[in-house]
Amino acid sequence: MGWRVEMPPIRKPSLNDGPLKDLNEYLHELHGRVYYPAPARVAAAWKSGEEEGRYRRSKAQATVDAIFRSPGCPADGYALQELVEVLLVDFGDEDSVSEEVENARTRVRYLWRQAMDPQHPASEIVTAIRDRANAYLRLADMLEKAEQMEARGRSPKALLAAYFPADQLAEELLKSKDDMDKPFQSIMERYVETYFESERIKRG
């Protein structure tokens, strides 16, 4: 990435301990990890990436600034995942399909869900299924972007850059497809337990 100039950090909002504070602290931690790029630069990189087909939910400078400063929970969880990728890929040294980026996306997705409904956090099974669904949706987004770029006659180099992360994600999904057996088995086991419990109650 060349020489970096460390900018002053964005001021954090005053938040009580809890899921929302955890989410905000993590976003600030990632921002600091790439030397605090100004919201204007983040928004510009995000918009540029969207034009290249790498992102879909780019936000204006004011919105980027509000994500870090606002005491409220951001409404768009998918945009937060893209913001994480913008920070680590466009301002850091990570590849878009690196384990570091995927871990960061997963963590911010989990924290955002907790912050949206702190009284009713999702179970591990629900989270696992949602994560897998999100991965497939992300793969569909990647392929759609690549196809649109191809239809617009983009260069082979640009198309390779677009198809590469989709290929890597598809490979990871194929490798880990058996992991979904555990949540599905848990669902069936829970159904059987509930069925027998309901029968026991009916019989008094």
Side-chain angles (χ1 to χ4, degrees):
M1 297 296 293
W3 292 99
R4 295 188 179 100
V5 178
E6 183 167 354
M7 302 295 290
I10 297 174
R11 180 174 54 82
K12 297 179 183 179
S14 177
L15 296 167
N16 295 325
D17 290 342
L20 182 55
K21 184 175 182 178
D22 292 341
L23 172 62
N24 187 265
E25 290 280 350
Y26 185 61
L27 290 173
H28 278 272
E29 175 191 328
L30 293 177
H31 189 228
R33 200 181 298 177
V34 292
Y35 301 91
Y36 304 109
R41 292 184 61 212
V42 175
W46 202 345
K47 181 65 176 176
S48 177
E50 185 173 55
E51 292 170 353
E52 294 170 3
R54 295 186 293 119
Y55 305 122
R56 293 178 67 98
R57 302 279 184 87
S58 67
K59 303 297 180 184
Q61 174 185 344
T63 304
V64 173
D65 189 68
I67 288 172
F68 289 101
R69 293 179 187 267
S70 173
C73 184
D76 192 341
Y78 189 86
L80 286 187
Q81 295 176 58
E82 283 200 353
L83 173 59
V84 165
E85 191 166 331
V86 172
L87 292 174
L88 295 180
V89 175
D90 293 77
F91 294 94
D93 298 317
E94 297 296 334
D95 186 86
S96 61
V97 293
S98 73
E99 184 176 356
E100 180 75 17
V101 172
E102 287 304 315
N103 288 343
R105 286 180 66 109
T106 298
R107 177 151 179 73
V108 83
R109 182 165 62 243
Y110 171 79
L111 292 172
W112 176 75
R113 287 181 187 143
Q114 301 301 307
M116 287 292 285
D117 191 5
Q119 301 302 317
H120 304 92
S123 68
E124 290 183 12
I125 295 173
V126 170
T127 299
I129 293 173
R130 279 179 174 162
D131 286 347
R132 177 48 57 94
N134 282 329
Y136 276 104
L137 288 173
R138 189 174 175 221
L139 178 59
D141 286 345
M142 288 177 174
L143 288 174
E144 184 180 26
K145 295 171 193 173
E147 289 172 354
Q148 290 172 350
M149 291 171 66
E150 193 166 2
R152 291 196 295 267
R154 297 293 296 274
S155 70
K157 183 178 180 180
L159 292 177
L160 180 62
Y163 276 114
F164 177 74
D167 175 73
Q168 295 295 298
L169 180 55
E171 184 177 352
E172 287 302 313
L173 287 170
L174 285 173
K175 284 180 182 177
S176 59
K177 63 184 177 64
D178 292 337
D179 292 345
M180 288 308 294
D181 289 345
K182 295 176 183 177
F184 290 143
Q185 287 170 0
S186 297
I187 292 169
M188 289 185 285
E189 289 169 2
R190 183 61 184 141
Y191 167 74
V192 171
E193 291 172 2
T194 306
Y195 172 79
F196 283 111
E197 179 65 14
S198 65
E199 288 296 306
R200 186 187 67 75
I201 292 173
K202 264 198 280 185
R203 290 171 188 170

